[in-house]
Amino acid sequence: MSLRNVGIAAALVLIVAVIAGWFFHTRKPSVSAPQPSVAAVPPAPPVDPFEQRLDDIVARYRKMIVLLEDDTDQSDEHGRISLVGKIIFQENHRGISQLSDELTGDILNAGDFSKPLANVVRFLDLVENKNSFHDADKLAFREVISDIAETLSGIKSNSKEKQELAGRVDLDRKALAEIQSLYEKELDKIFARFDTRGIEIRREAWDQYVAFLRTLFKREDILKGYAVQIAQVNQNGSKAEQHRDSDLEVYGNNLPPKTFVLTFDDGPHARYTDQILNILRKHNVKSVFFELGENLGSLKQNKVVPTRASAAAVRLIESGETIGSHGYSHNVLPKMSDSEVAKEFDETNRMLKSVINVDPVLFRPPYGERDVKVLAAIGAHNMKSVMWNIDSDDWADPVSKSIANRVIRDARRLNHGIILLHDIHERTIDAVPLIIETLQNEGYRFLSWNGQTFVDDGPRITETNEKPEAMPVLYRESWAVIIGIDEYPKWPRLHYAVNDAKGMSELLINNFKFKPDHVLTLLNGDATREKILSVLGDTLADPKKVQKDDRVFVFFAGHGATRKLPSGRDLGYIIPYDADLESFQGQAISMTNFQDISESIPARHVLFVMDSCYSGLALTRSGGTSNYLREVSQRSSRQMLTAGGANEEVSDTGPNGHSIFSWTVLQGLEGRADLNSDGFISATELASFVAPGVSGLAHQTPAFGNLPGSEGGEFIFELHPETEFLSEVSAQLDQVAIQLNSQIDQIRREIATKSARNDQLRQQLVDIQSKSSSTAPAPSAKAPSTATAHLNKGFTLFQEKRYQEALDEFLTAAKIDPSSALAANNAGFMYTKLGKMDLAIQWTEKAIKIDPKRAVAYANLADAYYQVNRFSDARRTYQTYLEIAPKGTYADTARARVASLN
């Protein structure tokens, strides 16, 4: 960090200190700025045991930060660090929970508040004024102060004493919010500098605080303090193999691409669990909650007595969430005896059955620590262990945006998995919406547990009986080979190629109906020269598989290279995973190989899309003789679209984890490349869309042309409208992607203006020539506009939040096809987005009249009624939706609305 940045960060800390001092009012709290350069002053002897409890909470809080701040999954000590950090967290969580229960209990028993609440006042005095507490230290008590505030707000008393105490607590809450905002503002200030991913976010103010903590604690000393616990875990039998999914346990590594499972541990919590549930309902996401038995109830005279928090677990079940077991007391199971482990299972299962009538199937071992003995117990109880591969660290990190950034970063990197969060922290409440909204906007989906496995029950068009418009059958079968390489062992590492390949694979399957087993994917170490040539030259050349009425799509994202031949001509290569850096010619695949491969494939149409440097060399013709022209005129379509020209390097950066070229191709295939609005995208149209956009944004010029074997035909993508049934759960693009698409549109508009000017000049020339001729030139034919094309275009505009333009497209589709319930529903939804509720209701009612079984239209209509306070109509329409789609994606929201309107 530069001295200038240190000065800025220090100034921000001082500003926040002044603000916080004002908030704490006459009590003059210590809101001191972190001072890493000043040696720690030993604290004064504790005044009383109560103060020592607070000191212990702060010390444990600090140790967690020292342990975890620089830890990574790749760290050699990651396992020890994670285990000890979580043990310290649980110790602190118990201490904080006990403190909160005692203080709120004092308030509940205060009666008329005539007697002073000694412990509550003592607690506030220490948090406000204790000189050894730094700003960030005080965040350890934020949830205790929130509990006190919530408890006070629930007491019906207007006494002066209560009002004064409530006012004091409110000031303290605001001061702590200001302290936390310091770090969040640093995140915003720095993160806003960058438009691409992969940037390490530096948190200047937070870094100063951490530097101070490291003058107090050393990581190795903390680990030594828990050496006995670590040894107990290691001595209780060898652990099961890590991070390997099996029938008994799952980490999420085998989930479908772009899917995640949200999970929450350590609840239920009397306040935060309900807040998490409301967030999940709002975003139509299901989750799994792993509950602790001691948080559900206790045994008194062999009878189960539910806790106050257990009511939140009941509401989870009523809302359709899944509840699993997290053991009874959050102990490290491998260090326990067989009988103690069995008791952890049995006591928790008893609580779950007695309190919320659940027989749990899913189990998560506390701390993720399990050995052969624990796995045997899981199997004996006919349960399944659910681990995780994305840890939010929300139990250690006090900053909500930092928690969200960590999850989003790992989610983008892994592309699927199980996310670990906790529903016992206020900071998690703020992080969860950021996580869900960001990932949903980027096309990720959240799975739910159906009793046997994790499934995707998100928004689907199966709720309707809409029959898509008839499309001609263009191909017997569709095949694809998708290759993406980031982790080159001998070449520089790439960052976007694998994500490009995965995005292309998903698009072909989801949008263009390629069968999953017909999309052959080679990523990283699988993309060797031998495997690539085997798939292209053997599998696709097999006439028993690929036949003459088929199409084949080949995509490559990775390194490219070039070599000058003795003749002076350059020869381009794609670089497989195992190619050497220096002598690559014998281990790479030349563009000549692709020309030969294209001729050996029996399919009618073949399209290569190459996102690599120098791939344009495949289109270089040697000589361009009349013999060559005669040869290609007798053969079928063989086409190639490349990221750059014959002598160009291409970019590995772009939006949403894709290169500029691949992003533009993907956007084109989403529907933007349908330039003549006929519902089909030809390879030529795709190239015409991609080339100007990419060349206007990066120093590369995509090239398009034919390979030997091309007969003048066209590779065709047919667009389908069946994913465009719009509602509140429809995904949209993030701001970075929208901005890039806007730039592409601007480039295309500039090109269109120049083309129109050229056409005008040509027409003037034709008019002059036609005066001397009796035959005028025939106008060029243009494909007729179709309802499907306008539906596709409208959906693209909706994704970019261009609601008025999307509405215009849907209205045009409705004009072309007045019987389209899809067009009417989407038009109604766009009117809702534009705030024109009368028209929204009119068009959505029209959609229902056309198709009375269209469930999503009932959901949209009920929402519209609800917004204009027609509550009886809203309740009736929500109930109709639930009758048609009782398990629909909007069912939970509809039920909640019905309940609130009764």
Side-chain angles (χ1 to χ4, degrees):
M1 183 190 302
S2 70
L3 291 176
R4 181 175 181 272
N5 285 339
V6 171
I8 292 171
L12 283 171
V13 175
L14 289 173
I15 290 169
V16 171
V18 172
I19 295 171
W22 177 80
F23 270 121
F24 278 135
H25 199 44
T26 59
R27 296 174 180 81
K28 298 180 182 179
S30 170
V31 189
S32 55
Q35 299 290 337
S37 61
V38 179
V41 178
V47 176
D48 58 27
F50 186 84
E51 182 174 352
Q52 183 63 57
R53 290 173 64 185
L54 269 62
D55 287 341
D56 291 343
I57 288 171
V58 168
R60 288 190 293 260
Y61 174 80
R62 290 171 166 179
K63 288 178 182 179
M64 284 190 293
I65 293 170
V66 171
L67 274 177
L68 296 165
E69 176 64 20
D70 296 328
D71 182 38
T72 67
D73 287 343
Q74 289 74 38
S75 169
D76 292 338
E77 291 192 329
H78 173 70
R80 283 202 305 155
I81 291 169
S82 180
L83 174 60
V84 172
K86 291 174 182 177
I87 291 175
I88 296 174
F89 161 74
Q90 283 297 329
E91 293 173 350
N92 224 30
H93 177 60
R94 281 198 174 89
I96 292 170
S97 296
Q98 291 171 0
L99 176 65
S100 181
D101 289 345
E102 291 174 14
L103 297 180
T104 55
D106 288 348
I107 294 171
L108 291 171
N109 296 326
D112 60 359
F113 290 86
S114 59
K115 295 181 180 179
L117 296 168
N119 282 341
V120 176
V121 173
R122 179 71 172 143
F123 167 73
L124 295 175
D125 285 342
L126 289 169
V127 174
E128 292 166 356
N129 300 315
K130 191 171 175 62
N131 290 328
S132 61
F133 286 173
H134 285 246
D135 290 352
D137 294 331
K138 298 174 183 181
L139 295 177
F141 302 107
R142 187 174 184 185
E143 291 169 8
V144 179
I145 291 179
S146 293
D147 287 341
I148 293 173
E150 293 289 336
T151 303
L152 286 169
S153 68
I155 295 178
K156 296 180 179 179
S157 171
N158 294 320
S159 69
K160 179 181 177 182
E161 291 80 7
K162 184 220 169 178
Q163 297 300 326
E164 288 180 350
L165 181 60
R168 179 179 180 180
V169 172
D170 185 58
L171 288 173
D172 287 357
R173 289 184 81 179
K174 291 177 180 177
L176 290 177
E178 286 295 322
I179 292 171
Q180 179 156 334
S181 73
L182 165 67
Y183 305 113
E184 295 182 339
K185 288 175 182 176
E186 290 295 319
L187 271 170
D188 284 341
K189 178 174 64 118
I190 296 163
F191 188 63
R193 299 174 188 169
F194 308 106
D195 292 325
T196 57
R197 296 180 185 161
I199 300 299
E200 179 181 356
I201 303 170
R202 297 170 56 215
R203 301 171 288 168
E204 283 97 339
W206 180 256
D207 290 343
Q208 290 188 1
Y209 171 64
V210 174
F212 162 70
L213 296 189
R214 286 175 178 149
T215 68
L216 304 179
F217 303 105
K218 303 298 181 187
R219 176 183 287 177
E220 194 53 43
D221 292 339
I222 298 172
L223 293 174
K224 286 180 181 177
Y226 288 84
V228 174
Q229 288 92 325
I230 296 173
Q232 286 177 323
V233 171
N234 293 336
Q235 290 170 4
N236 275 270
S238 61
K239 283 191 174 186
E241 190 174 356
Q242 296 289 326
H243 307 301
R244 187 69 60 84
D245 287 19
S246 67
D247 292 338
L248 189 58
E249 62 178 346
V250 57
Y251 280 88
N253 296 319
N254 292 337
L255 294 178
K258 301 202 80 168
T259 64
F260 294 98
V261 177
L262 276 182
T263 65
F264 295 89
D265 284 9
D266 295 355
H269 188 278
R271 286 196 296 115
Y272 301 139
T273 298
D274 281 328
Q275 294 181 46
I276 291 288
L277 178 59
N278 289 336
I279 294 168
L280 297 176
R281 284 172 172 170
K282 178 181 177 181
H283 293 90
N284 293 288
V285 170
K286 295 296 184 183
S287 182
V288 182
F289 291 80
F290 292 97
E291 312 286 39
L292 286 172
E294 64 183 7
N295 288 346
L296 289 165
S298 60
L299 284 177
K300 291 184 179 180
Q301 297 179 343
N302 204 32
K303 292 184 178 180
V304 174
V305 179
T307 65
R308 184 164 63 97
S310 65
V314 173
R315 287 187 283 273
L316 290 177
I317 292 298
E318 291 174 347
S319 188
E321 305 296 332
T322 299
I323 286 185
S325 168
H326 198 36
Y328 188 80
S329 59
H330 213 288
N331 273 317
V332 180
L333 297 182
K335 74 175 186 179
M336 304 177 75
S337 68
D338 289 348
S339 60
E340 290 172 330
V341 170
K343 186 176 180 180
E344 286 283 323
F345 279 82
D346 295 337
E347 289 295 320
T348 307
N349 290 355
R350 180 178 180 180
M351 293 298 167
L352 288 168
K353 183 63 176 178
S354 299
V355 176
I356 57 176
N357 195 30
V358 166
D359 292 311
V361 175
L362 304 181
F363 180 83
R364 173 167 286 165
Y367 310 106
E369 293 298 326
R370 80 280 185 273
D371 56 9
V372 174
K373 170 183 62 183
V374 175
L375 290 177
I378 294 172
H381 285 80
N382 295 317
M383 301 178 78
K384 189 180 187 72
S385 174
V386 179
M387 303 293 280
W388 65 88
N389 59 354
I390 298 175
D391 192 341
S392 67
D393 283 348
D394 60 341
W395 48 274
D397 193 336
V399 183
S400 298
K401 282 191 177 178
S402 177
I403 294 166
N405 283 333
R406 180 180 299 109
V407 171
I408 292 166
R409 178 198 64 211
D410 289 347
R412 289 166 171 166
R413 174 174 58 85
L414 296 172
N415 203 42
H416 58 187
I418 298 173
I419 300 171
L420 169 62
L421 295 149
H422 297 79
D423 58 324
I424 57 172
H425 306 302
E426 189 174 33
R427 52 188 175 263
T428 306
I429 305 301
D430 296 327
V432 170
L434 296 174
I435 293 168
I436 293 176
E437 290 170 9
T438 300
L439 294 179
Q440 283 185 334
N441 285 339
E442 294 179 9
Y444 295 94
R445 301 179 67 82
F446 293 94
L447 307 182
S448 63
W449 178 257
N450 70 353
Q452 296 181 327
T453 188
F454 290 108
V455 297
D456 184 355
D457 60 358
R460 285 290 183 269
I461 307 314
T462 53
E463 293 181 357
T464 76
N465 294 324
E466 172 77 7
K467 294 182 180 180
E469 297 176 54
M471 291 282 187
V473 178
L474 299 177
Y475 302 102
R476 186 193 71 92
E477 289 287 358
S478 299
W479 302 82
V481 176
I482 308 296
I483 305 164
I485 311 171
D486 283 336
E487 305 289 346
Y488 281 95
K490 299 178 182 179
W491 286 68
R493 186 185 185 279
L494 296 177
H495 301 284
Y496 294 82
V498 168
N499 206 38
D500 292 338
K502 290 179 178 178
M504 191 63 68
S505 177
E506 292 167 19
L507 185 75
L508 295 177
I509 294 170
N510 296 332
N511 290 34
F512 297 109
K513 312 309 175 189
F514 280 60
K515 296 177 181 177
D517 61 347
H518 283 26
V519 179
L520 312 175
T521 304
L522 301 175
L523 303 177
N524 288 327
D526 287 334
T528 62
R529 184 178 193 275
E530 180 181 0
K531 288 185 178 179
I532 293 173
L533 291 177
S534 175
V535 170
L536 293 174
D538 295 333
T539 303
L540 295 185
D542 184 354
K544 295 180 180 178
K545 295 180 178 178
V546 181
Q547 299 180 23
K548 66 178 182 178
D549 289 329
D550 294 355
R551 63 175 167 179
V552 171
F553 178 86
V554 179
F555 177 82
F556 175 83
H559 274 301
T562 183
R563 179 171 69 93
K564 188 171 288 295
L565 301 176
S567 64
R569 182 170 67 89
D570 288 328
L571 181 60
Y573 295 85
I574 67 159
I575 305 301
Y577 172 82
D578 53 342
D580 190 71
L581 182 61
E582 300 298 332
S583 304
F584 63 82
Q585 292 91 334
Q587 299 163 325
I589 302 173
S590 73
M591 290 303 167
T592 302
N593 291 137
F594 277 98
Q595 295 173 358
D596 295 338
I597 288 168
S598 71
E599 292 189 85
S600 68
I601 297 174
R604 187 199 323 158
H605 291 160
V606 180
L607 175 62
F608 295 89
V609 176
M610 314 298 287
D611 193 353
S612 65
C613 299
Y614 314 113
S615 51
L617 287 165
L619 302 173
T620 301
R621 304 292 181 237
S622 57
T625 64
S626 59
N627 287 336
Y628 170 74
L629 295 175
R630 282 195 297 270
E631 182 179 0
V632 297
S633 68
Q634 300 171 4
R635 302 194 180 192
S636 58
S637 167
R638 297 293 183 267
Q639 297 163 291
M640 180 177 284
L641 173 62
T642 69
N647 60 347
E648 291 182 337
E649 295 184 353
V650 300
S651 172
D652 186 41
T653 59
N656 282 39
H658 294 291
S659 74
I660 290 287
F661 173 77
S662 287
W663 167 257
T664 310
V665 171
L666 290 169
Q667 287 297 287
L669 292 177
E670 288 276 5
R672 294 168 63 85
D674 183 15
L675 304 181
N676 64 355
S677 298
D678 64 352
F680 298 87
I681 298 173
S682 68
T684 300
E685 276 184 301
L686 180 62
S688 298
F689 170 79
V690 169
V694 173
S695 61
L697 296 168
H699 298 296
Q700 62 194 76
T701 306
F704 176 72
N706 296 316
L707 296 174
S710 187
E711 194 178 75
E714 283 279 3
F715 193 103
I716 300 295
F717 297 92
E718 65 274 30
L719 296 172
H720 297 278
E722 61 263 33
T723 60
E724 297 167 6
F725 293 75
L726 298 183
S727 71
E728 285 294 342
V729 298
S730 300
Q732 294 179 284
L733 300 177
D734 63 19
Q735 197 56 44
V736 174
I738 292 171
Q739 183 178 358
L740 185 72
N741 282 351
S742 178
Q743 291 177 268
I744 294 174
D745 288 342
Q746 179 61 34
I747 292 167
R748 293 197 58 79
R749 282 193 294 269
E750 293 172 359
I751 293 172
T753 300
K754 294 177 182 178
S755 297
R757 188 183 306 118
N758 292 336
D759 289 343
Q760 185 179 13
L761 292 173
R762 279 193 293 268
Q763 186 60 45
Q764 290 175 358
L765 179 61
V766 169
D767 290 342
I768 293 171
Q769 292 174 338
S770 66
K771 291 179 179 179
S772 59
S773 172
S774 60
T775 304
S780 57
K782 183 179 180 181
S785 182
T786 66
T788 297
H790 289 284
L791 288 168
N792 288 328
K793 190 172 182 180
F795 180 65
T796 298
L797 293 166
F798 161 77
Q799 286 185 305
E800 297 173 5
K801 303 179 183 179
R802 295 159 62 179
Y803 299 137
Q804 182 60 56
E805 295 169 80
L807 173 62
D808 293 342
E809 295 297 327
F810 294 139
L811 291 176
T812 302
K815 184 177 181 180
I816 295 172
D817 183 3
S819 65
S820 173
L822 171 57
N825 173 75
N826 289 358
F829 185 68
M830 286 302 96
Y831 276 123
T832 300
K833 285 293 186 182
L834 293 169
K836 299 178 179 180
M837 303 310 299
D838 289 343
L839 289 169
I841 291 171
Q842 176 184 332
W843 276 90
T844 314
E845 288 176 340
K846 180 178 180 180
I848 292 173
K849 186 175 181 180
I850 296 170
D851 181 4
K853 296 297 183 181
R854 183 171 293 271
V856 70
Y858 286 98
N860 289 339
L861 180 59
D863 284 347
Y865 286 149
Y866 189 86
Q867 290 188 45
V868 297
N869 299 328
R870 291 173 56 178
F871 296 132
S872 61
D873 290 333
R875 181 175 60 251
R876 170 180 50 79
T877 311
Y878 281 129
Q879 289 171 337
T880 304
Y881 169 81
L882 291 170
E883 292 171 4
I884 298 174
K887 297 182 179 181
T889 57
Y890 212 58
D892 289 340
T893 300
R895 290 190 185 94
R897 290 275 172 86
V898 170
S900 70
L901 294 172
N902 284 332

